[in-house]
């Protein structure tokens, strides 16, 4: 249900920006507003407070954002809050951010390795990802997972490329367990 809500509202704001040809402005605003909500847990708590009426919540949003972001963004936030969807704001902005990256042809990858990679290794991975995908740019998050023993696990969206020693050992274990001695 939450995915449907974030998609519905996110698509509406993205399509508006696309129609007005101001994706770059919306991108900056989405990142700024998302950061405000991420850094201020109290704001979401305030919007969730049952004793604060809907009109007051709308006024709070207007006081915080009016004049600091575009009227479209302020209006969007007012609609989301007036519909009681304040809990979905972080998910909505995460969805919009993902949509913008798709539009700009920017891939997001996660690379897990058993040890810290050198800058040269990271550059080589990023270069290879650009060569083997449709993306013109790629954002990579590097993680250290010692249990991999060796190799890499690369995730882009729902695709996984796993060349880790851990996975190879698990595959060999399964294969050996299926062998029946007579």
């Amino acid at each position: 249900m939450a995915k449907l809500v974030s998609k519905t509202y996110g698509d509406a704001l993205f399509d508006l920006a696309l129609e007005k040809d101001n994706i770059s402005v919306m991108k900056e605003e989405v990142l700024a507003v998302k950061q405000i909500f991420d850094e201020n847990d109290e704001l979401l708590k305030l919007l969730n407070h049952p004793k604060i009426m809907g009109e007051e919540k709308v006024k709070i949003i207007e006081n915080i954002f009016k004049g600091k972001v575009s009227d479209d963004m302020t209006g969007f936030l007012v609609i989301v809050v007036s519909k009681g969807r304040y809990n979905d704001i972080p998910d909505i902005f995460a969805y919009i951010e993902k949509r913008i990256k798709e539009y700009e042809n920017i891939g997001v990858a996660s690379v897990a390795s058993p040890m810290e990679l050198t800058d040269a290794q990271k550059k080589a991975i990023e270069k290879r990802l650009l060569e083997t995908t449709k993306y013109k740019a790629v954002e990579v998050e590097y993680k250290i997972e010692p249990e991999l023993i060796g190799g890499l696990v690369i995730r882009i969206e729902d695709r996984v490329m796993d060349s880790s020693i851990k996975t190879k050992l698990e595959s060999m274990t399964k294969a050996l367990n299926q062998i029946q001695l007579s």
Side-chain angles (χ1 to χ4, degrees):
M1 180 74 169
K3 280 189 175 181
L4 181 61
V5 169
S6 56
K7 180 178 176 2
T8 301
Y9 283 94
D11 284 343
L13 185 61
F14 182 81
D15 291 344
L16 177 65
L18 200 56
E19 182 181 307
K20 291 188 172 188
D21 195 29
N22 66 351
I23 294 288
S24 60
V25 172
M26 187 195 56
K27 179 181 179 180
E28 290 176 27
E29 289 185 345
V30 163
L31 293 174
V33 172
K34 184 176 181 275
Q35 182 178 358
I36 289 169
F37 277 98
D38 288 346
E39 292 175 355
N40 298 293
D41 293 336
E42 299 299 317
L43 180 56
L44 273 179
K45 287 179 185 174
L46 182 68
L47 293 174
N48 277 310
H49 200 285
K51 292 188 179 180
I52 299 176
M53 301 306 295
E55 303 85 38
E56 285 297 315
K57 293 175 184 179
V58 168
K59 285 180 185 175
I60 291 168
I61 290 296
E62 287 177 336
N63 286 338
I64 293 172
F65 294 104
K66 196 166 192 152
K68 295 173 184 78
V69 294
S70 68
D71 290 343
D72 289 338
M73 181 60 74
T74 304
F76 175 77
L77 290 167
V78 165
I79 289 170
V80 171
V81 169
S82 66
K83 296 288 184 183
R85 295 293 186 180
Y86 18 84
N87 281 333
D88 297 311
I89 289 173
D91 292 334
I92 292 169
F93 284 112
Y95 175 81
I96 295 169
E97 190 176 4
K98 182 180 175 201
R99 239 351 259 280
I100 291 169
K101 286 179 182 174
E102 287 172 5
Y103 178 78
E104 293 178 335
N105 217 7
I106 298 172
V108 178
S110 169
V111 176
S113 64
M115 64 195 80
E116 182 71 34
L117 298 173
T118 65
D119 288 340
Q121 290 170 322
K122 289 178 180 179
K123 285 193 186 315
I125 290 169
E126 291 170 20
K127 181 180 179 214
R128 186 71 177 137
L129 287 174
L130 289 173
E131 291 171 352
T132 57
T133 63
K134 63 182 181 190
Y135 302 116
K136 66 178 183 181
V138 65
E139 294 176 1
V140 183
E141 174 193 351
Y142 294 95
K143 294 186 265 184
I144 298 172
E145 295 180 11
E147 66 273 9
L148 296 178
I149 303 168
L152 299 172
V153 177
I154 301 173
R155 289 179 176 84
I156 301 177
E157 293 178 14
D158 59 350
R159 294 180 295 171
V160 178
M161 196 283 297
D162 188 342
S163 67
S164 69
I165 302 291
K166 176 185 174 191
T167 301
K168 290 177 182 176
L169 287 172
E170 288 171 354
S171 295
M172 288 180 0
T173 301
K174 283 181 188 177
L176 288 171
N177 285 334
Q178 291 180 354
I179 295 175
Q180 295 192 4
L181 299 174
S182 49

